[in-house]
């Protein structure tokens, strides 16, 4: 390894000497997004997690439909939409791991310090990361939801069980909400928590907990809480809006409040992460 | 130009940096010296806007770091060479920084060439040696071709050839009129690199002077005198304001007076001298003396 000793200022002609400000005009949110995209695509773990998310979610949905078809005598009891979204249990967890890692890996390798020295505007850094990670989340969510939906419907049809098709009543709403709201919630919330907690294990645990724990302990809670609180937690709000939770269900939140709850979760997570990140030593 | 005014940092109730006021000027290499835990890295993180000061302020070219529009084109930094994602290649590690700073991708290849890592540009950083990490860190500091550089212990882990290369790089940078601010806990390293030093201990500024002055000012400077009439000479020297730290038979260890002055006094009084030898304190010793009272962790002896 020999170091060259040629002049450092090979490109000095590009900018005025001394002032060095000519290169600055192109720096903005788009630079931050481009940089964040390079960070994500240049490590193998990103691709492994995203591949597993797609493979496991679609695989699980297909397997669930398959087992349902085999074991159920009265096949009309199958809800073709619920069985297709079941794979999201896995898909969402992997998407959350991916999103939390997008920032916790920076804290754990201490590259966050380089990031804030290259981009000292921390709101811009946070926004750039959010935009990049949630865009990937939306694309992935699109692949997973459509993949699970079609895999389930093909298997249901093969067993002669009820199946759904694009354009059927409630199907488009189900797909759009699952793709868009799921894609955003499963990325923005864990990424924000990653900024707050700075460790992968804790951020993933808390994120998954926010989505799954209410589901697990719901029946143990007082009825008032079940009726008035659980419906606005991320998990139930998505399912109320997508139509998986029926209006007759105790956890149901009607559309407008569910939308408001979802927006509050996304904006709230982003703002809290931003305020803390901006104030704290990196 | 880096300027700190009353810069302080508190962690809980421990004062890591205590009202530092200093200027780092362009055109010279400024060393930043202090024992481990003295507050060097904390100060550097505050300069770079990574940590927020608890009091006072620090500016780069007149602005607080977080207000710089294109920071890495104003000041390049190497704080912690091991702070890289081990699964990412050297090239991508620099490329995300270049993109975030609005720099051309061409610049990534240029700095890799400059630090001699172009052959391993595509390799994952995880397989790098300590010296290669250090070179990558320097590449990242040079990315924006900045007029100022700030480096925390840059020679750590480098082989002798690498150390020589880094020293000549700093020299060249300073000669081009740039600001170079380099920390170290080794005085001997600074002796070969720096023109000016800031010495801190327990967060406080102990010295801010040209490197040559440190040894001149040291109390450890003394003159060894051997004379048959040592006792008589000792009295004469003491009345001239010198202090005798040691007196064994014909030998005196004298401080607070120069060797020529001792010679003059001896001649005036007809005293024969057998030996007259100024002893300059080594930089290492002068540094130890300066920081003696401010070392946080010391081995029991």
């Amino acid at each position: 390894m020999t170091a060259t000793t040629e002049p450092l200022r090979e490109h000095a002609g590009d900018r005025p000497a001394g002032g060095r400000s000519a290169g600055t005009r192109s720096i903005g949110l788009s630079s931050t997004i481009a940089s964040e995209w390079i960070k994500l695509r240049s490590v193998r773990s990103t691709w492994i997690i995203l591949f597993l998310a797609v493979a496991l979610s679609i695989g699980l949905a297909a397997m669930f439909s398959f087992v349902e078809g085999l074991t159920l005598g009265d096949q009309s009891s199958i809800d073709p939409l619920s069985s297709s979204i079941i794979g999201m249990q896995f898909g969402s967890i992997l998407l959350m791991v991916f999103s939390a890692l997008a920032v916790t890996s920076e804290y754990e390798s201490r590259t966050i310090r380089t990031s804030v020295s290259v981009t000292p505007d921390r709101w811009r850094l946070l926004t750039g990361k959010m935009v990049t990670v949630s865009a990937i989340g939306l694309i992935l969510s699109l692949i997973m939801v459509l993949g699970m939906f079609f895999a389930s419907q093909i298997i249901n049809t093969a067993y002669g069980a009820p199946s759904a098709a694009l354009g059927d009543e409630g199907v488009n709403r189900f797909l759009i909400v699952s793709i868009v709201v799921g894609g955003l919630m499963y990325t923005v919330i864990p990424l924000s928590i990653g900024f707050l907690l700075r460790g992968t294990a804790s951020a993933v645990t808390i994120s998954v907990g926010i989505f799954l724990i209410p589901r697990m302990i719901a029946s143990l809670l007082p009825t008032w809480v079940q009726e008035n609180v659980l419906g606005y937690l991320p998990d139930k709000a998505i399912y109320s809006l997508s139509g998986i939770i029926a209006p007759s269900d105790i956890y149901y939140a009607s559309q407008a409040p569910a939308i408001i709850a979802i927006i509050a979760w996304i904006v709230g997570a982003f703002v809290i992460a931003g305020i803390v990140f901006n104030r704290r030593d990196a | 130009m880096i300027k700190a005014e009353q810069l302080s940092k508190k962690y809980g109730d421990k004062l890591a940096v205590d009202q530092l006021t200093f200027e780092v000027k362009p055109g010279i290499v400024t060393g930043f010296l202090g024992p481990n835990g003295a507050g060097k890295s904390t100060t550097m993180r505050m300069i770079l806007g990574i940590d927020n000061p608890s009091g006072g302020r620090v500016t780069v070219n007149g602005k607080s770091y977080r207000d710089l529009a294109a920071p890495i084109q104003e000041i390049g930094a190497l704080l912690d060479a091991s702070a890289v994602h081990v699964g990412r290649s050297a090239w991508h590690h620099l490329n995300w920084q270049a993109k975030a700073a609005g720099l051309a991708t061409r610049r990534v290849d240029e700095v890799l060439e400059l630090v001699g890592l172009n052959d391993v540009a595509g390799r994952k950083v995880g397989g790098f040696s300590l010296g290669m990490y250090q070179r990558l860190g320097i590449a990242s500091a040079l990315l924006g071709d900045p007029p100022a550089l700030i480096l925390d212990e840059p020679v750590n882990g480098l082989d002798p050839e690498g150390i020589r290369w880094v020293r000549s790089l700093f020299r060249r940078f300073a000669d081009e009129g740039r600001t170079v601010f380099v920390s170290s806990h080794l005085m001997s390293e600074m002796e070969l690199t720096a023109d000016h030093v800031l010495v801190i201990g327990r967060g406080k500024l102990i010295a801010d002077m040209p490197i040559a002055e440190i040894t001149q000012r040291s109390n450890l400077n003394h003159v060894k005198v051997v004379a048959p009439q040592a006792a008589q000479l000792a009295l004469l020297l003491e009345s001239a304001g010198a202090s005798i730290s040691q007196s064994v038979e014909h030998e005196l260890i004298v401080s607070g007076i120069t060797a020529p002055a001792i010679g003059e006094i001896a001649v005036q009084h007809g005293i024969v001298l057998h030996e007259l030898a100024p002893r300059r304190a080594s930089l290492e010793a002068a540094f130890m003396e300066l920081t003696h009272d401010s070392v946080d962790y010391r081995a029991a002896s």
Side-chain angles (χ1 to χ4, degrees), chain A residues 1 3 8-9 11 14-15 20 24 27 35 38-39 42 44 109-111 117 122 278-279 281-282, chain B residues 9 49-52 65-66 70 80 82-83 88 96 99 101 106-107 114 116 124 144-145 165 173 178:
Chain A
M1 239 175 14
L8 292 161
R9 301 288 194 81
H11 63 306
D14 293 357
R15 330 181 202 148
R20 275 167 232 267
T24 66
I27 306 178
S35 166
I38 294 172
K39 282 183 195 167
S42 62
R44 194 185 294 160
S109 64
R110 300 182 307 286
T111 53
S117 39
R122 298 200 186 173
N278 201 42
R279 282 195 188 157
D281 292 344
Chain B
K9 181 70 182 179
I50 295 168
D51 286 8
N52 305 309
Y65 188 91
R66 285 174 76 167
D80 177 359
S82 68
R88 194 176 281 132
W96 72 253
K99 275 284 176 304
R106 171 171 56 85
R107 193 63 197 145
L114 195 69
K124 282 184 185 165
D145 192 15
W165 166 71
F173 256 69
R178 309 194 203 210

Side-chain angles (χ1 to χ4, degrees), chain A residues 46-108:
Chain A
T46 298
W47 300 105
I48 294 175
I49 294 170
L50 297 184
F51 170 79
L52 282 178
V54 171
L56 287 176
S57 58
I58 298 175
L60 193 74
M63 201 171 72
F64 191 79
S65 300
F66 189 67
V67 172
E68 258 188 342
L70 275 182
T71 54
L72 285 182
D74 177 14
Q75 283 163 337
S76 63
S77 72
I78 293 177
D79 172 359
L81 293 185
S82 313
S83 61
S84 80
I85 201 71
I86 198 91
M88 208 58 185
Q89 306 266 358
F90 266 112
S92 64
I93 290 175
L94 286 161
L95 205 48
M96 288 191 254
V97 171
F98 162 75
S99 307
L101 264 178
V103 62
T104 55
S105 70
E106 286 221 45
Y107 276 106
E108 285 169 357

